[in-house]
């Protein structure tokens, strides 16, 4: 499990390794991008709100979770299916031309 250290040594456990992080000085929120495609929006509590007498782990804070999925695979599969259908159509057209040229009786023999 990975973690992000806050200003006073507190940390939050994450479900995967972080790949990017962004925050604003005007906000108490931090955005953390994870290697799994998940983005977490975490509200960082004020230092006085964290009871670190037992642990420095921040718990009970507001975390919004956003999952992003790539459409690259779907687009590639659709392109592959289009090429496959075009080949099948071409083969069907060639077969029909052969039937027409030879006559259906010659083709069935």
């Amino acid at each position: 499990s990975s973690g992000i250290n806050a200003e006073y040594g507190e940390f939050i456990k994450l479900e995967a390794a972080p790949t990017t992080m962004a925050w604003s000085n005007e906000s108490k929120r931090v955005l953390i991008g994870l290697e799994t495609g998940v983005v977490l929006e975490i509200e960082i509590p004020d230092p006085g709100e964290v009871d670190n007498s037992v642990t420095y782990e921040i718990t009970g804070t507001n975390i919004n979770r956003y999952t992003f999925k790539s459409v690259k695979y779907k687009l590639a599969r659709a392109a592959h299916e289009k090429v496959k259908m075009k080949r099948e159509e071409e083969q069907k057209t060639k077969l029909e031309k052969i039937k027409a040229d030879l006559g259906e009786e010659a083709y069935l023999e």
Side-chain angles (χ1 to χ4, degrees), residues 92-108:
K92 184 178 176 182
T93 302
K94 285 179 185 179
L95 183 58
E96 288 173 358
K97 185 176 183 327
I98 291 171
K99 285 182 182 180
D101 289 347
L102 297 176
E104 192 152 338
E105 297 82 24
Y107 178 73
L108 294 175

Side-chain angles (χ1 to χ4, degrees), residues 4-7 20-33 40-42 44:
I4 297 295
N5 292 328
E7 184 176 343
T20 189
M21 185 170 72
W23 66 90
S24 168
N25 290 333
E26 292 88 35
S27 173
K28 291 180 14 175
R29 297 188 179 275
V30 62
L31 295 176
I32 302 171
L40 300 175
E41 179 185 26
I42 302 172
I44 303 298

Side-chain angles (χ1 to χ4, degrees), residues 2 5 7-8 10 12 15 20-22 28 31 34-36 42 45-47 50 66 71 76 83 90 93 97 103:
S2 300
N5 292 328
E7 184 176 343
Y8 294 95
E10 294 89 1
I12 296 172
E15 60 193 75
T20 189
M21 185 170 72
K28 291 180 14 175
L31 295 176
L34 305 179
E35 66 184 358
T36 57
I42 302 172
D46 291 325
V50 178
Y66 307 97
V71 296
V83 169
E90 288 171 353
T93 302
K97 185 176 183 327

Side-chain angles (χ1 to χ4, degrees), residues 33-74:
L34 305 179
E35 66 184 358
T36 57
V38 170
V39 173
L40 300 175
E41 179 185 26
I42 302 172
E43 185 176 336
I44 303 298
D46 291 325
E49 296 175 1
V50 178
D51 177 14
N52 57 12
S53 62
V54 176
T55 180
Y56 286 98
E57 180 180 358
I58 297 173
T59 59
T61 189
N62 186 21
I63 299 176
N64 294 316
R65 187 176 190 277
Y66 307 97
T67 303
F68 293 87
K69 295 182 180 179
S70 172
V71 296
K72 185 177 180 179
Y73 172 77
K74 289 181 181 180

